[in-house]
């Protein structure tokens, strides 16, 4: 609940709480910049594998690792012009614009504005910007996690795929292009 301040905090915290005579809770908090869903399972497998070995008075066996600097070095040697050429060729001929419906297009204002407060909304190019918070609940969250796991993708990739299908349906097109804006 405390969160992390990137400018001041250690980006990983571990705490062990005794909850009974022979029971404990292990709480491992970290910022997403340090670990994501892919490496979390690798890290927990390794940490608890070491723990299990130590409980049995055995020497933990860890697989050799490559330093992150190897990946950065590989990344720096990639040809940016070749990557640009690849994506330009891949997207060649794609000229349709991927749009969302506006209030004046496919849906009436009543359909889009059920019980919403417009006091803090801004409009851009006919679109209404608003936040619609909702809770998925434990069952739907578990189902999404299971689906992502079965497909060997992250929840983020799964949700972006769903977003692509939604855009495909709204635009009545086979192909959809969308992205995100990264500000520096």
């Amino acid at each position: 609940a405390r969160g992390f301040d990137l400018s001041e905090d250690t980006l990983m915290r571990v705490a062990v709480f005794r909850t009974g005579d022979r029971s404990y809770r292990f709480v491992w908090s970290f910022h997403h910049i340090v670990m994501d869903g892919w490496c979390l399972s690798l890290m927990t497998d390794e940490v608890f594998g070491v723990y299990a070995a130590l409980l049995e008075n055995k020497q933990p066996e860890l697989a050799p690792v490559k330093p992150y600097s190897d990946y950065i070095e590989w990344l720096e040697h990639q040809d940016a012009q070749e990557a640009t050429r690849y994506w330009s060729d891949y997207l060649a001929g794609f000229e349709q614009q991927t749009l969302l419906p506006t209030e004046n297009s496919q849906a009436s204002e009543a359909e889009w504005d059920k019980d919403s407060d417009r006091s803090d909304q801004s409009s851009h190019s006919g679109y209404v910007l608003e936040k619609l918070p909702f809770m998925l609940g434990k069952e739907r969250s578990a189902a999404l996690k299971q689906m992502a796991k079965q497909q060997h993708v992250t929840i983020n990739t799964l949700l972006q795929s769903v977003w692509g299908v939604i855009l495909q349906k709204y635009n009545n097109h086979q192909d959809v292009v969308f992205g995100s804006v990264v500000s520096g």
Side-chain angles (χ1 to χ4, degrees):
R2 189 170 95 203
F4 293 91
D5 181 342
L6 293 175
S7 65
E8 296 181 18
D9 286 341
T10 300
L11 300 180
M12 188 178 297
R13 295 188 290 263
V14 175
V16 178
F17 299 98
R18 186 176 194 159
T19 57
D21 287 342
R22 295 180 48 108
S23 62
Y24 298 86
R25 284 282 178 182
F26 178 78
V27 178
W28 188 356
S29 304
F30 56 88
H31 191 281
H32 184 71
I33 201 169
V34 176
M35 283 196 289
D36 63 9
W38 285 117
C39 70
L40 180 59
S41 64
L42 299 173
M43 289 290 293
T44 55
D45 288 350
E46 191 169 289
V47 167
F48 290 112
V50 167
Y51 179 70
L54 293 174
L55 283 177
E56 296 177 10
N57 292 319
K58 293 181 180 176
Q59 181 66 31
E61 293 182 25
L62 299 172
V65 296
K66 285 189 166 194
Y68 187 68
S69 58
D70 286 2
Y71 170 69
I72 298 300
E73 186 177 327
W74 173 83
L75 201 56
E76 288 174 344
H77 287 90
Q78 298 308 299
D79 187 338
Q81 288 179 336
E82 183 182 326
T84 300
R85 199 170 28 258
Y86 170 83
W87 287 108
S88 294
D89 291 348
Y90 188 86
L91 296 170
F94 186 86
E95 302 207 6
Q96 67 215 30
Q97 194 172 9
T98 303
L99 301 171
L100 286 172
T102 62
E103 290 186 47
N104 299 324
S105 63
Q106 296 176 352
S108 71
E109 185 166 338
E111 291 174 87
W112 280 96
D113 194 30
K114 292 178 185 164
D115 302 321
S116 74
D117 176 20
R118 295 185 163 269
S119 60
D120 64 347
Q121 298 172 4
S122 60
S123 180
H124 177 69
S125 302
Y127 299 115
V128 176
L129 175 65
E130 72 180 294
K131 292 183 180 181
L132 301 170
F134 64 96
M135 298 292 286
L136 286 177
K138 287 182 181 180
E139 287 181 19
R140 285 188 179 144
S141 294
L144 279 174
K145 287 178 185 175
Q146 182 62 31
M147 184 183 296
K149 186 176 180 179
Q150 286 173 340
Q151 299 302 316
H152 305 286
V153 298
T154 63
I155 295 286
N156 181 45
T157 300
L158 178 65
L159 292 178
Q160 285 195 36
S161 299
V162 169
W163 180 240
V165 170
I166 290 169
L167 291 174
Q168 180 187 37
K169 299 296 181 189
Y170 274 131
N171 286 271
N172 198 25
H173 294 265
Q174 265 313 105
D175 297 319
V176 189
V177 175
F178 67 94
S180 62
V181 176
V182 178
S183 60

